[in-house]
Amino acid sequence: MGLHPVSRLPLPQLTFDNEFFWTSGADGVLRIQECGDCKALIHPPQPVCRYCHSHKMGVREVSGRAALSAFTVNHRFSIPGLPAPYVVAQVAVEEDPRVRLTTNIIDCDPDDLELGQVVEVVFEQNDDVWLPLFKPTSELETAPLPDDEIAPQEFTKFVRPMLTAEKFEDAAAITGIGASKLGRRLMVSPLSLTIEASEAAIADAGLTLADIDGLSTYPAIDAMGMGEGGVTALEGALGIRPTWINGGMDTFGPGGSVIAAVMAVATGMARHVLCFRTLWEATFNQLMKEGRVSPPGGARVNNWQAPFGATSAAHTLALNAQRHFHRYGTTKETLGWIALNQRANAALNPTAIYRDPISMADYLAARPITTPFGLYDCDVPCDGAVAVVVSAVDAAVDAPKRPVYFEAVGTQIIERTDWDQTTLTHEPQVLGQAAHLWTRTSLRPADVDVAELYDGFTFNCLSWLEALGFCGIGEAKDFLDGGTAIARDGAIPLNTHGGQLSHGRTHGMGLIYEAVSQLRGEAGERQVDDARVAVVSSGGLTPSGVMLLRTEA
């Protein structure tokens, strides 16, 4: 133990539930919450045991030994008191490997680390918090890696059957799409982008503002360039007076606004719902550099990852990617074929932010972000808005453009939602939702003509490809090799507009826009021949959703 020379920020917010954990290091003993009945260790702490549902919760002293279950070497991000590079890791607690702690590995060369290595706790005091860090044991021991709570191939066994013969998806169609200008640091009001996209989508559907009786968005906040302020801001500007509204982050991924809109139409709450998503991250970051805006939050956070410098989704996904590499032989080149495919498609899209071609050599030589991810594994922060109009099917027949119909959605949460306690080898919140989708349709992966799959990072795409069955679990290395299978003339054309890796980060709504463009036959040079069925995924890590769209009623 010892006092760190510069206190880390942020530090965890101490609460009634977690104070025992964050202050355990005062006497050098690691403590984890324990169920008094089934003796399972529970982390993060909860009022009830997730395994036997007992309310008899206590605290157990543990050995402080754990198996190294994943790690990534962070190069891009730093926090006060923890300059890059540093190792972000997950370790499986010896007494109950279902409990995995996000931490840092210290006192070793990262090149010497191996999965399964036994590590032991070392506490670092910062103010009134003792952060549990870990270092390899002097004996260089190894231990078995933790098991999946549900094996990747087993998710279908946990999907609940349909409750009714009729599907709510059949009640609605997409009648309009619209997008604002898209770019880096546009330096304009985010609400102006929302309005630009919304007016375009409404006109595309052959409607007027007076026809819109529903508004739906994600995430409905205006922080860090993540939105314009949601339904409240747009209604205040347009005066639509909706009969139904929806907004929030606890939904089926960023595209959850569209799935919710279908349900609103199916239940008769609305006839034409305007769904919208706006980001202005590039401008926000520039304004922060100029000192004109301040990031939210403070020195204390209610977060189990951030105090260890795991401040980005990149860190979590990098840990899962490393485990996928280890288990299935996936390589960095495997991810590279996704990045190259997206850039090749973007070259044919005049609205894409990055259109210059890149080679595998360019990809491999790009500056590291957090291993195994480099610059081209990460999507492009930008400014822009996308809007979609969801209408009742009887109204859709009168739309000026070909309606795009909803065949099925996948939304079921099967695995844990805590980022470091969840699925080991794939992006969390992907396998369950994909399994759910295929139980709501007679169509199969071979029937899909285009796949617009969420790609905040290359590994998102790989996870969705395997989860949806375009290749087997663990078979992405062979499936993606050479990039031919995912090219526009390949087995499953992927992210035909350039994806978020090259077109720009629009949080899944840009993927829906592209799917509709393809199914309408309006994609220009990048058009896939005779595209009639499209799958669109939205999100991951947080609860996500996936939609199967088709051209025929």
Side-chain angles (χ1 to χ4, degrees), residues 19 39 122 249 398 429 489:
E19 186 172 3
K39 304 304 179 183
V122 179
M249 293 191 70
D398 297 323
Q429 304 305 321
D489 58 354

Side-chain angles (χ1 to χ4, degrees), residues 508-531:
M509 286 292 276
L511 299 167
I512 298 172
Y513 185 105
E514 175 66 11
V516 173
S517 297
Q518 288 286 342
L519 295 181
R520 286 178 172 179
E522 296 178 347
E525 287 186 81
R526 63 186 188 279
Q527 180 66 48
V528 173
D529 292 340
D530 200 26

Side-chain angles (χ1 to χ4, degrees), residues 28-42:
V29 178
L30 183 64
R31 294 174 175 85
I32 306 289
Q33 188 184 51
E34 180 185 52
C35 173
D37 285 328
C38 73
K39 304 304 179 183
L41 296 183
I42 304 295

Side-chain angles (χ1 to χ4, degrees), residues 266-325:
T267 55
M269 286 297 293
R271 189 162 175 81
H272 298 288
V273 181
L274 175 67
C275 309
F276 56 96
R277 179 78 184 99
T278 300
L279 292 108
W280 57 295
E281 293 174 287
T283 287
F284 185 89
N285 290 337
Q286 179 62 34
L287 293 175
M288 276 205 303
K289 292 178 182 177
E290 297 174 7
R292 296 166 62 184
V293 297
S294 300
R300 297 278 178 158
V301 295
N302 187 16
N303 186 293
W304 295 91
Q305 292 89 34
F308 303 99
T311 56
S312 167
H315 295 119
T316 298
L317 285 173
L319 297 171
N320 288 82
Q322 187 204 33
R323 285 187 286 242
H324 196 285
F325 283 25

Side-chain angles (χ1 to χ4, degrees), residues 146-164:
D147 294 325
D148 296 284
E149 187 171 60
I150 302 173
Q153 299 88 343
E154 302 292 313
F155 273 69
T156 54
K157 297 180 180 179
F158 295 86
V159 177
R160 294 188 180 93
M162 289 177 57
L163 299 177
T164 63

Side-chain angles (χ1 to χ4, degrees), residues 123-138:
F123 291 99
E124 175 189 285
Q125 184 183 359
N126 290 261
D127 196 11
D128 57 351
V129 169
W130 280 260
L131 296 175
L133 312 182
F134 285 79
K135 67 177 183 179
T137 61
S138 56

Side-chain angles (χ1 to χ4, degrees), residues 260-551:
V262 177
M263 300 179 78
V265 169
T267 55
M269 286 297 293
R271 189 162 175 81
H272 298 288
V273 181
L274 175 67
C275 309
F276 56 96
R277 179 78 184 99
T278 300
L279 292 108
W280 57 295
E281 293 174 287
T283 287
F284 185 89
N285 290 337
Q286 179 62 34
L287 293 175
M288 276 205 303
K289 292 178 182 177
E290 297 174 7
R292 296 166 62 184
V293 297
S294 300
R300 297 278 178 158
V301 295
N302 187 16
N303 186 293
W304 295 91
Q305 292 89 34
F308 303 99
T311 56
S312 167
H315 295 119
T316 298
L317 285 173
L319 297 171
N320 288 82
Q322 187 204 33
R323 285 187 286 242
H324 196 285
F325 283 25
H326 181 265
R327 182 178 293 184
Y328 301 120
T330 316
T331 66
K332 187 166 173 58
E333 285 83 353
T334 304
L335 300 180
W337 293 118
I338 295 173
L340 268 61
N341 175 76
Q342 260 69 320
R343 184 59 64 89
N345 290 336
L348 302 178
N349 187 349
T351 65
I353 291 177
Y354 290 134
R355 303 179 63 200
D356 294 335
I358 57 173
S359 66
M360 184 62 77
D362 296 328
Y363 166 81
L364 294 173
R367 64 181 172 90
I369 302 299
T370 189
T371 58
F373 298 152
L375 180 64
Y376 296 125
D377 290 293
C378 308
D379 61 7
V380 184
C382 64
D383 300 341
V386 179
V388 173
V389 175
V390 174
S391 301
V393 287
D394 62 320
V397 296
D398 297 323
K401 300 285 186 69
R402 175 194 287 185
V404 169
Y405 297 94
F406 295 90
E407 170 65 21
V409 302
T411 58
Q412 186 178 342
I413 296 174
I414 294 177
E415 64 195 286
R416 291 185 63 172
T417 54
D418 298 299
W419 285 14
D420 47 8
Q421 312 300 314
T422 188
T423 302
L424 289 168
T425 54
H426 291 75
E427 178 186 13
Q429 304 305 321
V430 164
L431 294 166
Q433 286 79 358
H436 185 215
L437 175 78
W438 296 120
T439 66
R440 298 185 62 81
T441 176
S442 61
L443 297 180
R444 302 270 66 93
D447 298 311
V448 179
D449 300 307
V450 290
E452 311 296 344
L453 303 181
Y454 198 81
D455 62 338
F457 303 90
T458 49
F459 188 68
N460 299 81
C461 260
L462 182 150
S463 296
W464 280 110
L465 285 167
E466 291 194 352
L468 288 165
F470 293 114
C471 63
I473 296 293
E475 296 178 2
K477 179 182 179 182
D478 292 335
F479 180 75
L480 291 168
D481 188 40
T484 56
I486 56 174
R488 288 185 309 281
D489 58 354
I492 181 64
L494 175 67
N495 291 3
T496 47
H497 66 313
Q500 300 185 143
L501 299 177
S502 288
H503 183 262
R505 180 192 297 162
T506 51
H507 269 182
M509 286 292 276
L511 299 167
I512 298 172
Y513 185 105
E514 175 66 11
V516 173
S517 297
Q518 288 286 342
L519 295 181
R520 286 178 172 179
E522 296 178 347
E525 287 186 81
R526 63 186 188 279
Q527 180 66 48
V528 173
D529 292 340
D530 200 26
R532 297 184 180 184
V533 178
V535 66
V536 187
S537 68
S538 179
L541 287 178
T542 58
S544 73
V546 56
M547 296 178 284
L548 199 62
L549 306 176
R550 53 180 167 77
T551 57

